[in-house]
Amino acid sequence: MSIRLQNIGKHFGKTQALEPVDLDITEGELVGLLGPSGSGKTTLLRIIAGLETADREPGGRILFGERDVTHLHVRDRRIGFVFQHYALFRHMTVFDNVAFGLTVLPRKQRPSSGEIRSRVHRLLEMVKLEHMAQRYPAQLSGGQQQRVSLARALALRPDVLLLDEPFGALDAKVRQELRRWLRHLHDELNFTSLFVTHDQEEALELSDRVVVMSNGRIEQIDTPDKLYRHPANRFVFEFLGDVNHLEGTVRDGVLTCGDARLAVDLADGPEELLLRSHELELAESPSPEAQLPVTVAAISPVGAEVRVELEADWLGEPWLATVNHANYERLALTRGARLYALPRRWHRFPAERVKQPSRAPEPVS
Amino acid sequence: MQRIGDAPAVRRLLISAAVVLAALFLLLPLVAIFAQAFARGIDVFWANVTNHYTLAAIQLTLFIAVLTIPVCLVFGVALAWLVTRFRFPGRRILQTLIDIPFAVSPVVAGLVYLLLYGRNGWLGNWLDGYDIQLMFAWPGILLVTIFVTCPFVARELIPLMQAQGSREEEAAVTLGAPGWTIFRRVTLPNIRWALLYGVILTNARAVGEFGAVSVVSGAIRGQTNTLPLHLEQLYQDYNTVGAFASASLLALIALLTLVAKASLEWRAARREVHA
């Protein structure tokens, strides 16, 4: 079922948690709400669920398919909600937790106890916890609890599944597993899902589309690919990955900053360029286009790549470059080594909020 | 590893101090009560307990307790629910107001009620017009007992419900549960031990209350005398055995309360290990 928000905003007292937003989510989509804490993403999710009421804005509406649910109570919206800290009923067994939604249905709609039993067992099978049916939530691990909470939310076959930081409290490996598993489940059952996260990797990996939010505002709605390649503004660019800053003055197509020089195709005047850490190469000599002398301040091998912290007199904040192991060994990187940074690509976002596509500089050898 | 203050000498000193003090201030008086009550044999004790006035006092005391508990229960749950589940202006003030009965001396509470509801009081005067008498009758005793005991349940529940938060209730409502079902199947099971504990404390206080009740009851023998008041009268009449027989009844109720409380705590602890 599709979700459509029109002019939905929220104040808590005098603070505006959410500026009036419009949002369209098509049926069967898996959409991530991404943003730092306090960006209004959870508020937006809770408004869609009906756990918070939106401000009374003219024309403010929430539609599930053709159904206007703006003034509908949570319990009548037919949503499944998964809470960050699972919110399982601690005094009930796993079975009773999953069965809860079915057992509180009005007598006329309630399935027979035999049918409830078989439905709950099917759900527990789906989340691979059938052998845990008689356990209490406190006896389960975090990942297991979150799976129970998913099964519970799906028991009533909701039209819409809403997840509030569903993997936030889990350790990295379990989080990875659950993420894949949720993606499969979503593709298999084909409900419409919306989840909140502050983890860009999670949002980019899991979502069909990502809604990036900050300060109660939607900054950009796009597919993960487009979001990364064509960020709408500086906030989105900075939020989606590591960023290095280069500030200087451009004259005659050369940006100068202390000893550093970079050939750029820009008009004269002060400029600030942004560089991704994986778009920085390290070399023993400068290139004709880039002369950016740096000193290696720290080296930390993290999994498949090596993160190198770079310092220089002309830099306010140290830069971060990620190099692969082959380059790491070829350059024989050590702390204190003097090298040159060669940007493969740079980005700039002029002060006014204009949509400005990133540009590649002259090819660097 | 040795913890701070865990040297054998310190430990022995502290333990013996605790034992001596507990024996001197707690155990000895308790033993003395029963010793005095049975000082002239079981027959005299029994005669005093089954005395008409004593029985009337026991009856009134239990009657008041039985009426007080449900009122405090409903009041406490409603108040705790209100304070922990909603944000509204004046919430803090309300939370402070709950403590007034704890802060004010019960005698003062009794006097205030007397002033308000007594024959010459503001409300008492008006009620008198309808021939309703609250003071120097059981309704007055009930009123002040409720006043004195009403914070117990709320005080037990508020911290617990605050710590538990409303997430489980939110989960229940997203699953379509109606309000009453949520209370019965989610909220109540989570607070039941604290609730029972609050009731036990309420009962103990309702049975034992002296100060506030003595002001408003008038202490009419056989009519408005509760057990603590009756006890005091017997003592003033130099009927030591009678007084201590009543005292032993109160002590017995207190002991039963403690046993109930201990067993609740034991069960709660066992549940935690189990869960």
Side-chain angles (χ1 to χ4, degrees):
Chain A
M1 185 155 296
S2 66
I3 305 172
R4 171 172 295 178
L5 303 188
Q6 292 169 347
N7 209 26
I8 291 296
K10 176 77 181 171
H11 280 84
F12 288 114
K14 285 207 180 80
T15 41
Q16 186 162 38
L18 189 65
E19 281 181 22
V21 297
D22 292 332
L23 182 62
D24 274 311
I25 295 164
T26 48
E27 175 153 7
E29 231 184 341
L30 177 54
V31 171
L33 288 173
L34 174 67
S37 56
S39 60
K41 54 193 193 304
T42 295
T43 306
L44 184 59
L45 191 80
R46 289 172 63 89
I47 288 173
I48 296 171
L51 291 169
E52 307 277 358
T53 14
D55 294 342
R56 285 187 176 276
E57 303 274 356
R61 290 209 299 169
I62 304 171
L63 297 170
F64 287 177
E66 295 302 307
R67 203 154 57 106
D68 187 336
V69 299
T70 319
H71 302 291
L72 212 56
H73 193 270
V74 202
R75 74 171 66 95
D76 303 316
R77 287 198 186 186
R78 292 177 54 80
I79 51 138
F81 201 99
V82 175
F83 292 81
Q84 181 176 7
H85 297 285
Y86 333 123
L88 294 177
F89 306 126
R90 70 195 88 181
H91 62 284
M92 293 185 203
T93 60
V94 166
F95 180 94
D96 290 334
N97 262 282
V98 177
F100 185 85
L102 296 167
T103 57
V104 300
L105 281 171
R107 201 171 290 275
K108 268 182 247 160
Q109 300 164 32
R110 196 184 311 161
S112 68
S113 63
E115 204 197 321
I116 290 180
R117 208 173 310 129
S118 72
R119 257 171 88 173
V120 171
H121 278 297
R122 236 174 303 142
L123 283 158
L124 287 177
E125 229 168 83
M126 190 181 74
V127 299
K128 303 191 176 59
L129 285 172
E130 28 332 8
H131 55 294
M132 299 278 187
Q134 293 314 314
R135 298 268 185 106
Y136 284 90
Q139 297 168 303
L140 304 183
S141 71
Q144 290 171 332
Q145 290 191 45
Q146 194 56 299
R147 280 186 281 158
V148 174
S149 134
L150 256 162
R152 183 177 70 174
L154 293 174
L156 287 166
R157 300 185 182 127
D159 303 325
V160 167
L161 184 66
L162 305 171
L163 308 102
D164 183 10
E165 299 260 6
F167 314 123
L170 302 170
D171 57 67
K173 201 160 157 49
V174 178
R175 200 188 302 190
Q176 275 279 352
E177 263 173 44
L178 270 185
R179 230 187 261 170
R180 301 235 168 88
W181 178 80
L182 178 67
R183 183 72 237 192
H184 284 302
L185 199 69
H186 175 89
D187 294 341
E188 200 177 312
L189 301 178
N190 204 40
F191 39 77
T192 308
S193 329
L194 189 59
F195 73 98
V196 158
T197 180
H198 62 266
D199 179 346
Q200 30 2 29
E201 202 188 306
E202 188 166 294
L204 296 178
E205 183 184 325
L206 197 53
S207 323
D208 296 321
R209 283 194 304 155
V210 180
V211 178
V212 184
M213 299 186 68
S214 84
N215 291 321
R217 203 172 37 225
I218 293 182
E219 299 285 354
Q220 189 173 0
I221 309 173
D222 244 321
T223 60
D225 182 50
K226 280 204 187 134
L227 213 55
Y228 200 77
R229 283 171 197 274
H230 305 293
N233 56 46
R234 189 189 174 121
F235 173 82
V236 176
F237 182 83
E238 293 196 328
F239 195 69
L240 287 184
D242 297 317
V243 177
N244 300 312
H245 296 259
L246 176 59
E247 270 177 87
T249 321
V250 180
R251 180 163 299 169
D252 302 329
V254 176
L255 182 135
T256 315
C257 170
D259 309 337
R261 254 163 270 289
L262 181 67
V264 291
D265 181 18
L266 294 170
D268 289 2
E271 274 295 343
E272 184 185 10
L273 303 183
L274 306 178
L275 303 99
R276 289 269 188 234
S277 58
H278 65 270
E279 288 167 357
L280 273 184
E281 240 168 70
L282 295 175
E284 276 147 349
S285 55
S287 75
E289 290 78 23
Q291 186 173 4
L292 304 166
V294 290
T295 310
V296 175
I299 301 170
S300 40
V302 183
E305 57 190 24
V306 181
R307 297 161 73 92
V308 185
E309 207 181 292
L310 304 169
E311 275 176 353
D313 297 341
W314 48 274
L315 273 180
E317 272 175 51
W319 278 8
L320 187 71
T322 46
V323 297
N324 58 30
H325 283 271
N327 275 334
Y328 171 60
E329 276 156 32
R330 186 173 56 79
L331 289 164
L333 284 179
T334 48
R335 273 182 64 174
R338 290 170 178 278
L339 294 165
Y340 290 89
L342 306 178
R344 271 191 297 261
R345 212 174 125 93
W346 47 262
H347 312 258
R348 78 187 258 274
F349 296 94
E352 60 277 358
R353 297 173 141 265
V354 196
K355 197 163 182 173
Q356 168 83 29
S358 328
R359 276 191 255 160
E362 302 298 309
V364 180
S365 56
Chain B
M1 195 188 80
Q2 193 161 36
R3 273 177 283 176
I4 295 165
D6 204 24
V10 176
R11 192 157 25 149
R12 245 172 269 145
L13 186 72
L14 286 176
I15 290 174
S16 47
V19 168
V20 168
L21 285 176
L24 215 58
F25 289 105
L26 302 175
L27 199 61
L28 198 62
L30 198 64
V31 173
I33 290 174
F34 287 97
Q36 288 284 351
F38 292 100
R40 290 206 276 155
I42 198 152
D43 294 338
V44 181
F45 170 81
W46 189 246
N48 270 298
V49 169
T50 52
N51 171 290
H52 167 69
Y53 292 126
T54 310
L55 284 179
I58 293 171
Q59 210 173 13
L60 182 64
T61 303
L62 294 180
F63 175 69
I64 294 293
V66 164
L67 287 182
T68 303
I69 287 167
V71 173
C72 288
L73 195 69
V74 173
F75 172 81
V77 172
L79 197 71
W81 179 277
L82 187 69
V83 165
T84 58
R85 295 293 181 261
F86 298 95
R87 294 280 169 278
F88 53 92
R91 199 174 65 95
R92 287 282 167 98
I93 298 173
L94 192 64
Q95 250 176 306
T96 314
L97 283 179
I98 301 169
D99 283 339
I100 283 187
F102 281 172
V104 169
S105 155
V107 180
V108 175
L111 278 174
V112 170
Y113 270 74
L114 194 60
L115 209 69
L116 278 177
Y117 295 100
R119 189 157 298 177
N120 300 318
W122 306 332
L123 289 164
N125 214 345
W126 177 74
L127 286 169
D128 206 34
Y130 296 91
D131 209 19
I132 298 170
Q133 190 198 351
L134 295 183
M135 292 299 114
F136 309 121
W138 68 262
I141 300 173
L142 182 63
L143 276 181
V144 293
T145 308
I146 289 172
F147 176 85
V148 169
T149 55
C150 69
F152 283 102
V153 173
R155 270 273 152 254
E156 282 299 317
L157 292 185
I158 287 171
L160 180 73
M161 288 175 72
Q162 233 150 21
Q164 287 182 343
S166 52
R167 282 198 306 261
E168 287 185 36
E169 281 132 20
E170 281 188 343
V173 79
T174 63
L175 292 166
W180 174 245
T181 307
I182 295 176
F183 179 74
R184 198 169 47 83
R185 293 193 47 190
V186 177
T187 312
L188 203 56
N190 279 338
I191 61 170
R192 60 185 163 189
W193 298 113
L195 200 63
L196 263 174
Y197 191 46
V199 165
I200 286 173
L201 289 179
T202 305
N203 180 56
R205 186 67 196 263
V207 168
E209 178 53 32
F210 179 84
V213 171
S214 75
V215 177
V216 299
S217 100
I220 306 159
R221 230 171 247 214
Q223 282 180 38
T224 64
N225 238 5
T226 62
L227 207 47
L229 297 183
H230 181 62
L231 191 164
E232 207 242 353
Q233 276 181 353
L234 290 174
Y235 189 72
Q236 299 291 351
D237 296 346
Y238 301 105
N239 182 354
T240 313
V241 171
F244 276 97
S246 292
S248 68
L249 289 179
L250 280 174
L252 198 66
I253 293 173
L255 285 175
L256 286 176
T257 307
L258 283 179
V259 169
K261 173 177 165 276
S263 81
L264 271 188
E265 275 169 355
W266 180 73
R267 285 186 67 169
R270 212 178 51 144
R271 261 178 61 86
E272 224 141 79
V273 171
H274 176 73

